[in-house]
Amino acid sequence: MAQVPQTFFDALAVRTWCGLSLRALGRAREEIDAINVYPVADGDTGTNLYLTAESATAAVEAVFEAHGAHDSGEPALAEAARAMAHGALIGARGNSGTILAQLLRGMAQVLSADSETTHTDGEGLRLALRHAADSARQAVAHPVEGTVLTVASAAADAAGKAEDDCGAVARAAYEGARAALAATPGQLAVLERAGVVDAGGRGLVAVLGALVETFTGEVPSAVPVASGLRHARVAGDDPDMTSAAAPADSAEGRADPVPADSAQVPADVLEECADAPDTHGPAFEVVYLLEADDTAVARLRQRLDGLGDSLVVVGGDGLWNVHVHVDDAGAAVEAGVEAGRPYRIRITHFGLGDVHTTGAGRPARERAQRAVVAVVPGEGLAGLYTEAGATTVLARPGEPPASGELVEAVRRAHAREVVLLPNDADLRHTAAAAAEQARTEGIRVALIPTRSAVQGIAALAVHEPERRFDEDVVQMTSAAGATRYAEVAVAERQSWTMAGICQAGDVLGLIDGDVAVIGSDVTGTAETVLDRMLSAGGELVTLVLGDEAPEAVAEHLETRVRESYLAVDTVVYRGGRQGAVLLIGVE
């Protein structure tokens, strides 16, 4: 279906661009992964770019949904642009995703400079692309030519010479980036040896192609990924533009525009790249989000720069995304602790049998028969679920995981059969999309629609891997369905609820997702909620305390259950920073 072009860069254009970028990166993901040889040949650049774009897209969609729910029309350009940048920042993956997040942040800083402006024109887009390229380069400790930074600078240079509307600027940026991408093998030896273009740069060209489609309705031609040693090219690499309404056999219409092996780097070339002196580097990739001030981050940059390489620190306004390759992963995390509060810490060991880094095809690790993958709202519950054998995905307040993260967790579980527990009603569609994607990869996935972490605990308690898969899923589903769930939270603003009007600061008791009690203190509200739930019977009460919960609330509720409800047991867990003050389950 042809894209309706946008005339100006407004909130709708931001939304359209994000969606088209996600689609373009989804189509090119495997191709980009296959040519990923720098800075580490770990074959995940396409995936990392896709996950970063997915997080940005979800953040923009959330802003539009919020305005729709309040009948306030479309958001302002500044709000949409900031949401795009924030979503990319918190969801950035790997070196390439972190740089993409900074590129989007640089654009957003220009697009949101005047919060009253509803749209911008070609001149505004030129400035945004220039600032994006400059800020991304500044975020990298030691910029290297022949990478995505080179491609971004070329795009900004070409855009700066364009005139007229956003469409002309976007087209110039795309063509400039495309030409720079083709030249990357001549700038970086590892690319020349492998006979491929830079993977991160290839991803940026896809994102800029989506920008062209946003403003012109035309889909740019496919991009060559090979050069030098290899002459295989992606079909349709004529630099002329094609119609967005291209027939199904055009480059746009094909889900896989290049044969699977033609975009692959030959094994002998990969081995050569892996063994080359300039590709041997630190053993670990360390990535985390960091809450810290500018002064602390400046010191952190110096410290991490001395520990390793591929250092990229992006963000601002108190929230940063830190990426570095080091031999001492613990020291990199400790440096973050000294600077502020690191979280969402991810440490990847490059050397664990990775054919891309060793050049040797070790036998694949044997898959387990069955695994459980669960989304959990806090570190405490993540530990509990992990002890029970589940693979976890942490969902922090206001930062729900994207479908790509769930698919990644399913892969990480490395099992033939997977039970997926979303533990949140709002993640139903996200989890369903992840399950469908995993099934296309040959993994048998059952999605149990758990709406709270306490329902997930109940399901996990009856999980038995030795049972037949269908029988296990039925038992887990039954246990989850028999568990009523509630949460106690503090209202952030005045609003209408099922229990009446609440004010900011009121304590809300939600039962099965609906506000049932409005109170003034946590303990009293929690007791009222618990009494209502136990009035229908129950055998076990599960309490999960958040960091904000009063110290005495658990003891008070345990005493209440012991004195008022015979034969009802209580179990208490610490959930950590989980959003809700208290989670309650009754089964």
Side-chain angles (χ1 to χ4, degrees):
M1 185 172 123
Q3 171 65 36
V4 177
Q6 302 295 311
T7 305
F8 297 103
F9 210 143
D10 57 7
L12 182 57
V14 172
R15 184 188 200 184
T16 302
W17 181 35
C18 285
L20 292 174
S21 294
L22 186 63
R23 190 177 73 180
L25 288 170
R27 289 195 304 265
R29 180 180 63 81
E30 291 184 2
E31 169 199 309
I32 297 171
D33 282 344
I35 64 171
N36 172 203
V37 296
Y38 181 84
V40 176
D42 48 358
D44 63 358
T45 290
T47 299
N48 287 337
L49 288 168
Y50 179 85
L51 292 174
T52 304
E54 186 178 45
S55 183
T57 302
V60 174
E61 288 298 325
V63 168
F64 271 83
E65 288 175 9
H67 277 262
H70 293 88
D71 295 322
S72 55
E74 291 182 2
L77 170 60
E79 186 178 5
R82 283 194 293 263
M84 172 184 69
H86 180 73
L89 178 67
I90 64 174
R93 295 301 185 93
N95 189 72
S96 55
T98 307
I99 293 174
L100 176 61
Q102 186 65 9
L103 287 166
L104 296 180
R105 177 179 171 80
M107 291 191 70
Q109 287 175 327
V110 173
L111 298 174
S112 62
D114 185 350
S115 59
E116 302 300 320
T117 300
T118 59
H119 66 268
T120 191
D121 55 12
E123 175 62 19
L125 180 54
R126 281 193 292 270
L127 293 173
L129 290 168
R130 178 78 269 163
H131 187 63
D134 293 344
S135 61
R137 190 170 286 270
Q138 291 166 7
V140 177
H142 302 285
V144 175
E145 297 307 324
T147 65
V148 62
L149 298 177
T150 305
V151 176
S153 294
D157 291 343
K161 299 173 185 176
E163 298 180 356
D164 302 324
D165 57 11
C166 289
V169 173
R171 190 191 303 263
Y174 173 80
E175 294 298 345
R178 195 172 185 275
L181 177 68
T184 55
Q187 298 172 292
L188 205 52
V190 65
L191 300 179
E192 185 175 20
R193 283 194 299 270
V196 295
V197 298
D198 179 65
R202 170 65 183 92
L204 178 58
V205 169
V207 171
L208 291 173
L211 188 65
V212 173
E213 188 177 356
T214 298
F215 291 113
T216 69
E218 297 176 328
V219 181
S221 54
V223 180
V225 298
S227 64
L229 298 177
R230 298 171 59 242
H231 300 289
R233 297 166 79 85
V234 176
D237 71 335
D238 181 358
D240 294 335
M241 309 300 290
T242 59
S243 167
D249 61 349
S250 70
E252 165 62 14
R254 285 194 297 270
D256 186 4
V258 62
D261 3 347
S262 70
Q264 297 289 330
V265 181
D268 58 337
V269 176
L270 262 180
E271 185 168 357
E272 178 187 350
C273 294
D275 292 339
D278 62 352
T279 59
H280 281 177
F284 297 96
E285 176 187 60
V286 179
V287 181
Y288 49 80
L289 290 177
L290 177 70
E291 293 178 355
D293 59 36
D294 292 4
T295 303
V297 169
R299 292 195 299 268
L300 175 67
R301 287 179 193 269
Q302 293 181 346
R303 172 112 182 251
L304 293 180
D305 194 26
L307 288 175
D309 59 28
S310 296
L311 173 61
V312 186
V313 181
V314 305
D317 302 321
L319 180 62
W320 309 82
N321 192 306
V322 179
H323 171 280
V324 66
H325 294 173
V326 293
D327 281 322
D328 189 345
V333 175
E334 288 173 8
V337 172
E338 291 178 7
R341 192 180 76 83
Y343 60 98
R344 279 200 178 185
I345 300 168
R346 293 190 296 273
I347 300 174
T348 303
H349 185 206
F350 291 128
L352 289 177
D354 189 341
V355 67
H356 293 291
T357 55
T358 65
R362 296 184 184 180
R365 177 167 60 95
E366 181 66 24
R367 284 185 178 274
Q369 182 59 34
R370 189 173 310 157
V372 176
V373 172
V375 180
V376 290
E379 294 90 341
L381 281 181
L384 173 67
Y385 273 74
T386 300
E387 288 176 8
T391 298
T392 61
V393 178
L394 190 61
R396 291 188 172 275
E399 301 172 11
S403 64
E405 292 181 78
L406 300 187
V407 173
E408 192 178 65
V410 170
R411 293 173 183 143
R412 193 168 70 245
H414 203 63
R416 299 181 182 89
E417 303 166 339
V418 172
V419 179
L420 183 56
L421 306 175
N423 291 341
D424 187 336
D426 292 336
L427 288 177
R428 183 177 69 254
H429 297 303
T430 301
E436 189 60 35
Q437 173 61 36
R439 291 181 188 118
T440 67
E441 300 177 11
I443 304 171
R444 190 180 184 188
V445 181
L447 171 60
I448 298 178
T450 48
R451 294 172 290 175
S452 171
V454 292
Q455 288 188 322
I457 291 173
L460 200 55
V462 300
H463 167 55
E464 291 185 13
E466 294 76 21
R467 278 196 296 233
R468 287 191 309 108
F469 185 61
D470 292 340
E471 182 181 346
D472 196 29
V473 170
V474 167
Q475 292 298 323
M476 294 176 72
T477 303
S478 177
T483 302
R484 300 189 69 197
Y485 66 95
E487 68 176 76
V488 177
V490 178
E492 295 181 355
R493 64 183 67 87
Q494 183 189 63
S495 60
W496 290 86
T497 75
M498 296 287 289
I501 300 175
C502 72
Q503 306 295 327
D506 284 346
V507 180
L508 307 180
L510 295 85
I511 299 177
D512 294 338
D514 293 323
V515 176
V517 180
I518 300 176
S520 58
D521 70 283
V522 171
T523 303
T525 303
E527 181 178 322
T528 302
V529 167
L530 188 55
D531 285 340
R532 290 196 186 185
M533 296 177 74
L534 287 173
S535 65
E539 299 176 353
L540 176 66
V541 172
T542 300
L543 304 175
V544 182
L545 306 178
D547 284 343
E548 309 280 323
E551 286 295 325
V553 66
E555 182 179 351
H556 179 86
L557 294 178
E558 285 184 289
T559 302
R560 175 68 177 173
V561 171
R562 185 171 57 252
E563 294 179 351
S564 303
Y565 301 95
L566 298 177
V568 177
D569 294 325
T570 305
V571 59
V572 180
Y573 301 111
R574 291 281 175 179
R577 187 169 177 250
Q578 62 185 23
V581 176
L582 174 68
L583 300 177
I584 304 173
V586 173
E587 52 184 303

